[in-house]
Amino acid sequence: MNRKSIPTHVCIPEMLSTRRLVSLTRTYVPFKSSGLSFFRSHELRSSSYVVKDKAILNGFSFRTFCSSKDLSLQKCVPCNIKDLSPMTEESANVLKPKVPEWELFNDGGAMKLRRKWKVKNFLLGLEFFKIVADLAESEGHHPDLHLVGWNNLTIEIWTHACGGLTENDFILAAKIDKLPFQSYLRRKVKD
Ligand SMILES: C[C@H](O)[C@H](O)[C@H]1CNC2=NC(N)=NC(=O)C2=N1
């Protein structure tokens, strides 16, 4: 089958991709196909990286990476997949530019995402976390929330099911960045 390039903004059609948890590592996830059986090799191309991939349907498995430009438009997927493995640091660095406000860090061997905010007061900090909590519930993927010294917020995101990072974590971070928090935050003190 001839190789097809899929432009950046197009993921594999929803019916084929079923939005299983994917990552840039060689993770293969079970795919309950609708009897479709075809072997298709395609190249997902985006501004910052190319992911060569093969999708094998018909009850086997597939690994793909939706290269849609805006992670916040994607959906987190259930992490209850057997043998789920975290993405490599190299893969995390490929995705990192899509969430520039976040930092990657290694916590005792587990790669995680972290971002900090300073809010105007304690109650706004709790409100901030409530909005994040509602988002997390809707995505079925949850961050670690820290509120220290009454107005210092830190959110850490990682996939507990595999002890590291998956695409879900970057999607959740991108969605948090889109939340309307500006009025909660203390103005940065001019130096
Ligand atoms: C089935 C469902 O995906 C799991 O229970 C979810 C819930 N939220 C989660 N959140 C995070 N950060 N990591 C997980 O592994 C995780 N697992």
Side-chain angles (χ1 to χ4, degrees):
M1 180 172 282
N2 65 333
R3 190 172 287 277
K4 274 186 73 183
S5 278
I6 298 178
T8 301
H9 64 286
V10 174
C11 299
I12 295 180
E14 198 54 30
M15 67 173 208
L16 297 182
S17 69
T18 67
R19 293 302 313 135
R20 288 276 184 213
L21 182 62
V22 293
S23 76
L24 281 169
T25 55
R26 297 273 157 228
T27 301
Y28 280 77
V29 294
F31 176 78
K32 291 185 178 38
S33 73
S34 51
L36 275 179
S37 75
F38 74 96
F39 179 88
R40 173 178 174 189
S41 71
H42 54 267
E43 195 172 70
L44 294 176
R45 191 178 293 282
S46 86
S47 52
S48 56
Y49 51 89
V50 171
V51 177
K52 292 191 190 341
D53 192 13
K54 289 182 176 49
I56 305 161
L57 304 184
N58 196 13
F60 289 96
S61 64
F62 76 97
R63 179 188 71 80
T64 183
F65 183 77
C66 179
S67 65
S68 124
K69 275 197 181 308
D70 186 347
L71 284 176
S72 67
L73 301 179
Q74 294 185 42
K75 186 97 183 83
C76 293
V77 294
C79 306
N80 52 0
I81 289 164
K82 202 166 151 304
D83 302 335
L84 178 70
S85 59
M87 67 172 68
T88 60
E89 190 161 346
E90 179 201 2
S91 302
N93 283 314
V94 167
L95 282 175
K96 172 67 183 69
K98 291 178 175 265
V99 285
E101 303 292 334
W102 294 74
E103 61 170 312
L104 276 173
F105 72 106
N106 191 314
D107 184 8
M111 288 292 294
K112 298 181 181 179
L113 284 169
R114 175 168 56 199
R115 187 177 172 185
K116 296 176 184 286
W117 296 263
K118 199 177 272 297
V119 289
K120 288 173 181 169
N121 61 57
F122 185 72
L123 290 179
L124 283 177
L126 290 176
E127 255 186 64
F128 185 114
F129 278 171
K130 175 68 171 78
I131 295 170
V132 172
D134 290 343
L135 169 65
E137 279 300 290
S138 68
E139 290 297 319
H141 200 68
H142 304 85
D144 296 351
L145 306 176
H146 306 269
L147 199 176
V148 176
W150 65 271
N151 72 341
N152 296 288
L153 307 187
T154 301
I155 295 183
E156 293 176 355
I157 307 177
W158 54 296
T159 299
H160 298 240
C162 69
L165 288 173
T166 61
E167 188 194 21
N168 275 353
D169 303 311
F170 289 87
I171 292 170
L172 184 60
K175 288 176 182 278
I176 288 173
D177 286 346
K178 290 284 173 80
L179 294 174
F181 286 137
Q182 211 42 50
S183 63
Y184 289 58
L185 306 180
R186 275 182 61 175
R187 295 204 184 299
K188 285 206 170 59
V189 178
K190 291 248 182 308
D191 302 337

